[in-house]
Amino acid sequence: MSNVESVQTMVQIEVTFDGRGFLLAQEQDLGELKHQIEEAMVTPGTFVDLIVVGNRKLSVLITPRSHVTITEATVPFDARDTGDVDSPFGGYYDLL
């Protein structure tokens, strides 16, 4: 087995809201998120909640003028990326 074959990977999804990108945690339901965004776009403005890498909650205000893009990429596996907001990671605390 070559070294390339032994590397675990995962699909990472980036959602960009009005030019600002956020990587979704692995446990996010992309179909449900798309549905929430579509519903929010027909209102004057509605917050959509999601969990991003680092297991952190994020609320984004979606309006009919919002621009949203979704991209997917295969990246090395990160076992910390579970979507569990009770176990956040990132920043200075990971270094301790």
Side-chain angles (χ1 to χ4, degrees):
M1 180 182 289
S2 75
N3 199 20
V4 173
E5 293 173 10
S6 66
V7 174
Q8 286 186 317
T9 61
M10 63 187 195
V11 174
Q12 193 169 63
I13 300 168
E14 181 178 20
V15 182
T16 303
F17 300 97
D18 295 322
R20 176 98 191 262
F22 300 94
L23 298 172
L24 295 183
Q26 288 299 300
E27 297 299 316
Q28 290 293 280
D29 182 339
L30 183 57
E32 176 60 23
L33 179 60
K34 286 179 179 181
H35 178 71
Q36 290 176 12
I37 292 168
E38 289 168 350
E39 285 187 340
M41 289 228 164
V42 298
T43 69
T46 301
F47 279 97
V48 172
D49 299 323
L50 51 142
I51 307 298
V52 296
V53 167
N55 297 335
R56 290 174 171 80
K57 292 182 183 180
L58 175 71
S59 294
V60 179
L61 181 62
I62 302 293
T63 71
R65 293 183 168 208
S66 297
H67 293 87
V68 180
T69 58
I70 298 172
T71 57
E72 296 182 30
T74 301
V75 298
F77 180 75
D78 185 345
R80 302 173 302 169
D81 186 21
T82 62
D84 181 0
V85 296
D86 292 329
S87 298
F89 64 93
Y92 298 111
Y93 297 110
D94 275 350
L95 301 175
L96 299 175

